[in-house]
Amino acid sequence: MNFKEKILLFIIIITSTLCVKTFAQQDKVYNEMTLEELLDIDVVVTASKHPEDLFETPLSTTIISKEEISNSGVASIPEALRLSQGLIVREITPGNYDIHIRGYDDITKNVYLTLSYNTTILVMIDNRIVYSYFSGGTFWETLPVDLNDVERIEVVRGPASALYGPNAVTGVINIITSHANKKGKNITVNTQMGTNNATNSSLNIGYNWDDKTKLTFSGNFSERYRFDSKYYDFIRKDYVGVDSLTMFVAPVKDHITNEPWTYNEYQKELGAFYDEDLSLRRAGGNIFFTHNYGVNSNIDIAVGAQKSQSQRTGFLNLATPLSQTESESYYINAKIKHNNLSGQFNINSGKDENNYQFNSYKFTNIEGNIEYFKEFKTVSIRPGINYKHLSYNSPFTYKERFSFNDLNFDFKDEARETSSFSAFMLTEWKPTEKLRVIGAARVDKFGFNKHYFMNYEIASTYRINKNNLVRAVHSKASKSPFFFDTYLNGNIQINYDRTIEGVTDPINVPVHLTINGKEDLKYPTITSTEIGWRTKITNSLSLDLEMFYSNVDNFVNPNAYHSYTSEQELDESGAPGTLLSIRADGAVKFENYNLNASQYGLGFTLDYEFSDKFKAKVFGNYQKTNISGRKDIDVQLTDIEFSFNPEGDILTTTLSNTTNPTQWSEDATPSFFGGFTLNYKPNSKWSFNTDGYVYSQHEFASYNYYQINDLENLEKDKSQVDIKTNLVLNAKTTYQLNKNALIHITGKNLLGKHREYGFADNIGSIVLIGLKWKY
């Protein structure tokens, strides 16, 4: 019996044992609660797709409330995620963040260690998925909503693809919006200005007709500037001015002389000029409309748009990890519910443009789903179906190969399109008031991949009494196929410096590589088991503990294949003599890869309300990741051929090898990360808040995988940046001027300048002064 089977058997035995006991115990847990305890219940919807007490949810879940966000010193939705246990949140450049749930950072991102967006978290706004299927991930700066629109943020840790589909591999972040909560006019204006030209502004205007119909208009604007003006150079392994950058992959400019492009020439040819000071500029607008036809019937419509510009780390910028990106997108989202039937339909369309224009694309995603909910005495079922139509137009995926040398990146009417169909079932069984068992299964089929993506989840909770609950979860979740990995179609000619036996100095070898995606790949799949315990130690003190173990396989990696052909003149004795020529051809191919990773860890959240005036929370997460399989860079000789031409006594030698160009490592994930919040309200006028976020030491390393052709000189192609243990400390003071207006002063990164992400910027301190007016 393997490990997974043992865990499933353990859950079944425990569940069955508890069933026998609880059938004899008809305690009504909620009847034991006081009115104050009942009113203090936090409601969450993401973990089981229907409203429930947070304490009861079987999954590892955190709610970041509107009040908690308002009290804290956070200034954006990504930064607000630092208020939740289990999330790694690092600032790349001011206002731009890298976010992960529990880790697996560098492993799941394949060779793209400088890729600054996580591909294994599913981010949603009101259950509308915001995710790029081009190469995976969420671009946080492109969210159309801002903190002023947020009612709460629900974070589900652990695989949840059985509930929401592929890419909820390490968890789900659901941003819940809410507007015009009180009858009549609702107006909120919030503005902040600070040092280093930091600006945040938002406006929310709505009207509520007797809680039956609500209409809201919202807008937001943010701007951040860099503390640094330099960029990391992989060749010099240091930060330099933008005009002094060198190409870490230098395509050949002249195919006859093999002269490579210089950075300045390549930049000019592409028009890839940087706004060196600007880190982030984003603006968004939304219209929200809801109407309740009855108790169980309503319609919810949202439309919106955003325009943003940011500097963050990205892939395929051939000079420096930081790249400048501009994005525009538009969406419409419609949800309707009538009795037990609910449906959702949304369209999201736009473009993401890199200042390296070949790394840009246009997209249109259309998604719809229908669910039916039926509840019996002790059992409920929720079957559903989902349909997606995905369209991405990129120079990388055209039938004509894109050339990194000749830069033929004009957009054509040649979008790649696919559809996916999904069916899922969520079942819940409550044999008693205390025991609960949930099972979910989902299958997804994408048109451009022959595989079916199967996901499942089984969870059980047992409420010992009103103050204690234990739970167990076993689940499996997968990533979806992506257009980039599937349809990538390019070529590049570069020069290798190669050492040849019998030749004193390294010689320059022209190498022509084709770069190919591959259809029908399998994608990373995580299987996870966790157990948890929630307890209310006293009326004011609560503790949430979770232990987890997971493993992941089906990695995707671009491997390199080379053939080196040399011609040598034989001397009179027949021994190889003068080298006449040498050249190389090869291919870089996306393939599944012999690698496995496992992770175990422990998380906790301790909540303490000392009094109505003083609240505190502390949380943390420890994890350890282990990697096995072909995890180290290697070069393997696969074939050698000789041919002899008697005319001129020429010996032709062809060497073929395969290269695994990636150093897989868990070192880019901190082993510990967590934080705390302290809030003190001495009276109705004043509020003082301190929040901190801490992570342990870790490191980022990157190899120029286009230049790896032997292991002897491997270290010279390696760049590494160490991230020190750091505490990010914020403080906020608020004063209520009158019933409508308050002012606040926020100090961010109070402990000074530090670097949080590899090859990116230092993050400095700023002070923000703000005004909030609410009517």
Side-chain angles (χ1 to χ4, degrees):
M1 184 178 291
N2 61 31
F3 179 79
K4 292 187 289 185
E5 292 171 336
K6 291 179 181 178
I7 290 297
L8 284 171
L9 180 61
F10 170 78
I11 293 173
I12 292 170
I13 292 173
I14 292 298
T15 300
S16 302
T17 304
L18 293 176
C19 277
V20 173
K21 292 182 178 180
T22 54
F23 271 120
Q25 299 177 13
Q26 297 300 322
D27 296 343
K28 302 297 183 182
V29 172
Y30 289 99
N31 289 344
E32 299 175 5
M33 293 185 177
T34 65
L35 177 61
E36 183 181 357
E37 288 173 327
L38 289 170
L39 293 174
D40 198 38
I41 288 176
D42 290 318
V43 177
V44 62
V45 298
T46 307
S48 60
K49 288 199 165 186
H50 66 82
E52 63 177 332
D53 179 1
L54 174 63
F55 195 83
E56 297 279 0
T57 181
L59 307 184
S60 299
T61 308
T62 297
I63 293 177
I64 306 172
S65 68
K66 190 179 192 74
E67 179 185 13
E68 193 174 6
I69 292 172
S70 179
N71 289 338
S72 73
V74 303
S76 67
I77 290 175
E79 190 185 4
L81 297 174
R82 282 180 167 165
L83 303 175
S84 170
Q85 187 257 111
L87 270 73
I88 303 170
V89 184
R90 294 170 292 195
E91 198 165 3
I92 303 166
T93 58
N96 296 300
Y97 290 85
D98 169 70
I99 297 170
H100 299 270
I101 294 179
R102 291 179 175 169
Y104 283 134
D105 299 33
D106 51 345
I107 297 173
T108 55
K109 286 190 291 189
N110 305 324
V111 299
Y112 304 125
L113 186 57
T114 57
L115 190 67
S116 63
Y117 48 92
N118 179 276
T119 61
T120 58
I121 300 174
L122 198 66
V123 180
M124 302 187 297
I125 302 174
D126 296 325
N127 278 32
R128 175 178 70 88
I129 294 172
V130 285
Y131 194 86
S132 170
Y133 293 90
F134 182 66
S135 59
T138 299
F139 305 103
W140 292 96
E141 73 276 8
T142 67
L143 300 185
V145 298
D146 201 11
L147 288 178
N148 209 37
D149 301 306
V150 174
E151 177 66 22
R152 66 186 185 276
I153 302 173
E154 298 180 357
V155 179
V156 176
R157 296 176 293 279
S161 291
L163 295 177
Y164 293 101
N167 305 311
V169 181
T170 57
V172 175
I173 297 173
N174 195 5
I175 301 164
I176 310 294
T177 65
S178 181
H179 312 275
N181 287 328
K182 68 180 182 69
K183 294 179 182 180
K185 289 182 289 187
N186 289 254
I187 303 173
T188 302
V189 180
N190 203 341
T191 183
Q192 285 181 297
M193 298 187 69
T195 57
N196 205 44
N197 296 317
T199 302
N200 294 319
S201 298
S202 60
L203 172 66
N204 199 298
I205 302 174
Y207 197 87
N208 181 325
W209 288 270
D210 295 325
D211 285 331
K212 187 175 183 180
T213 304
K214 301 177 183 179
L215 178 65
T216 301
F217 300 86
S218 79
N220 59 80
F221 175 81
S222 298
E223 197 168 68
R224 292 287 186 276
Y225 286 85
R226 299 176 66 204
F227 294 93
D228 300 333
S229 59
K230 294 183 178 181
Y231 296 84
Y232 191 85
D233 187 298
F234 278 117
I235 302 300
R236 294 185 173 93
K237 300 181 182 180
D238 198 4
Y239 285 84
V240 301
V242 67
D243 292 333
S244 300
L245 285 168
T246 51
M247 303 286 281
F248 74 91
V249 176
V252 167
K253 178 182 178 181
D254 190 315
H255 295 274
I256 298 175
T257 64
N258 292 323
E259 177 190 359
W261 286 94
T262 66
Y263 168 73
N264 290 325
E265 291 172 337
Y266 211 65
Q267 180 190 47
K268 184 177 180 181
E269 183 72 15
L270 288 167
F273 297 101
Y274 282 82
D275 186 339
E276 300 171 43
D277 298 323
L278 183 68
S279 174
L280 172 68
R281 179 182 292 128
R282 58 181 299 273
N286 307 270
I287 302 173
F288 303 95
F289 173 80
T290 62
H291 179 70
N292 297 320
Y293 296 96
V295 176
N296 295 314
S297 299
N298 60 70
I299 186 170
D300 188 334
I301 298 175
V303 296
Q306 68 81 30
K307 184 177 176 64
S308 59
Q309 180 178 334
S310 66
Q311 283 200 61
R312 52 173 169 76
T313 55
F315 63 90
L316 293 177
N317 183 333
L318 304 185
T320 180
L322 283 185
S323 58
Q324 185 169 294
T325 303
E326 296 185 19
S327 175
E328 292 181 17
S329 61
Y330 314 87
Y331 79 92
I332 179 169
N333 184 45
K335 296 188 293 181
I336 188 167
K337 182 180 184 297
H338 180 64
N339 294 328
N340 293 340
L341 189 65
S342 62
Q344 184 169 4
F345 173 82
N346 64 76
I347 301 174
N348 188 30
S349 183
K351 59 182 179 179
D352 293 312
E353 295 184 326
N354 195 284
N355 59 343
Y356 278 45
Q357 285 294 313
F358 52 72
N359 189 25
S360 304
Y361 60 86
K362 303 173 183 178
F363 64 93
T364 298
N365 295 337
I366 302 171
E367 182 172 5
N369 63 71
I370 299 175
E371 298 182 8
Y372 178 77
F373 178 74
K374 181 64 176 177
E375 191 169 19
F376 303 95
K377 186 175 181 179
T378 60
V379 176
S380 66
I381 60 172
R382 186 186 294 269
I385 56 174
N386 176 276
Y387 170 79
K388 292 186 181 76
H389 179 80
L390 308 173
S391 173
Y392 285 84
N393 186 331
S394 165
F396 281 150
T397 63
Y398 294 155
K399 294 178 182 178
E400 178 189 357
R401 283 191 181 275
F402 167 78
S403 170
F404 286 89
N405 305 85
D406 302 326
L407 300 174
N408 54 327
F409 61 85
D410 291 337
F411 277 96
K412 305 176 184 178
D413 185 18
E414 197 178 312
R416 295 283 189 174
E417 297 183 346
T418 194
S419 298
S420 77
F421 298 88
S422 310
F424 53 90
M425 171 71 80
L426 172 63
T427 304
E428 186 171 330
W429 178 44
K430 291 183 178 180
T432 72
E433 188 72 22
K434 293 188 175 184
L435 180 66
R436 179 184 184 195
V437 181
I438 291 178
R442 180 179 176 121
V443 59
D444 293 83
K445 178 65 175 69
F446 287 80
F448 63 165
N449 192 292
K450 70 179 182 180
H451 299 290
Y452 287 84
F453 294 83
M454 307 288 295
N455 303 286
Y456 65 81
E457 185 165 83
I458 180 169
S460 179
T461 65
Y462 177 67
R463 188 148 188 172
I464 301 171
N465 52 44
K466 72 173 185 177
N467 293 325
N468 290 274
L469 177 140
V470 292
R471 59 185 185 83
V473 185
H474 182 73
S475 54
K476 176 185 175 182
S478 60
K479 287 171 65 174
S480 70
F482 303 127
F483 285 80
F484 185 83
D485 300 354
T486 302
Y487 293 122
L488 177 61
N489 187 28
N491 62 58
I492 186 171
Q493 183 174 331
I494 55 179
N495 293 320
Y496 278 172
D497 288 332
R498 186 164 177 82
T499 301
I500 303 296
E501 186 176 352
V503 179
T504 305
D505 297 321
I507 63 172
N508 189 267
V509 182
V511 181
H512 182 270
L513 293 172
T514 59
I515 308 167
N516 307 287
K518 184 178 180 180
E519 296 185 34
D520 300 328
L521 292 168
K522 295 181 179 180
Y523 282 83
T525 301
I526 290 182
T527 304
S528 173
T529 301
E530 65 177 70
I531 57 175
W533 173 45
R534 298 190 183 106
T535 179
K536 296 177 181 177
I537 302 170
T538 67
N539 288 336
S540 58
L541 180 64
S542 63
L543 174 66
D544 192 343
L545 283 174
E546 58 196 47
M547 293 184 292
F548 55 89
Y549 172 83
S550 64
N551 59 75
V552 58
D553 54 14
N554 295 333
F555 289 95
V556 175
N557 187 55
N559 293 314
Y561 298 83
H562 298 99
S563 292
Y564 295 92
T565 301
S566 62
E567 293 183 341
Q568 289 177 279
E569 191 175 48
L570 301 181
D571 60 21
E572 294 180 356
S573 64
T578 304
L579 180 67
L580 301 176
S581 69
I582 184 169
R583 67 183 187 277
D585 296 286
V588 177
K589 301 178 182 180
F590 279 82
E591 298 175 319
N592 283 117
Y593 191 69
N594 177 23
L595 187 81
N596 292 281
S598 63
Q599 182 189 77
Y600 63 87
L602 170 70
F604 73 92
T605 299
L606 188 65
D607 235 318
Y608 193 14
E609 293 189 21
F610 293 83
S611 65
D612 292 338
K613 296 181 178 180
F614 190 23
K615 298 179 181 180
K617 181 172 75 170
V618 60
F619 51 89
N621 198 102
Y622 171 81
Q623 67 81 32
K624 175 63 178 175
T625 303
N626 299 302
I627 303 174
S628 61
R630 192 178 172 207
K631 65 179 183 178
D632 296 317
I633 293 175
D634 57 26
V635 180
Q636 299 177 355
L637 180 66
T638 58
D639 192 22
I640 183 168
E641 295 181 356
F642 300 97
S643 64
F644 175 67
N645 183 358
E647 294 184 10
D649 292 333
I650 305 297
L651 175 66
T652 301
T653 305
T654 301
L655 297 174
S656 299
N657 67 33
T658 178
T659 303
N660 152 40
T662 307
Q663 178 73 52
W664 299 88
S665 168
E666 71 278 9
D667 295 335
T669 302
S671 58
F672 179 82
F673 43 95
F676 67 87
T677 61
L678 300 172
N679 183 252
Y680 177 53
K681 293 183 178 180
N683 52 50
S684 61
K685 293 285 188 181
W686 288 95
S687 175
F688 302 93
N689 193 91
T690 300
D691 60 84
Y693 182 81
V694 64
Y695 49 79
S696 61
Q697 182 172 339
H698 51 290
E699 67 181 38
F700 284 78
S702 181
Y703 291 87
N704 186 344
Y705 54 90
Y706 279 103
Q707 292 292 339
I708 296 171
N709 55 81
D710 61 65
L711 298 179
E712 294 180 1
N713 300 313
L714 185 62
E715 288 303 309
K716 74 179 180 62
D717 293 318
K718 179 182 178 181
S719 297
Q720 180 172 316
V721 171
D722 296 323
I723 307 298
K724 299 178 181 178
T725 299
N726 188 55
L727 171 63
V728 181
L729 186 64
N730 304 325
K732 182 178 181 180
T733 300
T734 303
Y735 180 72
Q736 191 82 36
L737 294 172
N738 52 48
K739 68 176 184 177
N740 299 117
L742 60 82
I743 57 173
H744 48 89
I745 300 176
T746 303
K748 299 177 66 60
N749 301 320
L750 295 177
L751 300 184
K753 208 170 186 181
H754 60 277
R755 196 181 314 280
E756 300 182 15
Y757 197 81
F759 315 113
D761 281 3
N762 277 307
I763 307 299
S765 304
I766 61 173
V767 176
L768 293 163
I769 299 176
L771 170 68
K772 184 175 182 178
W773 184 80
K774 192 172 183 179
Y775 177 79

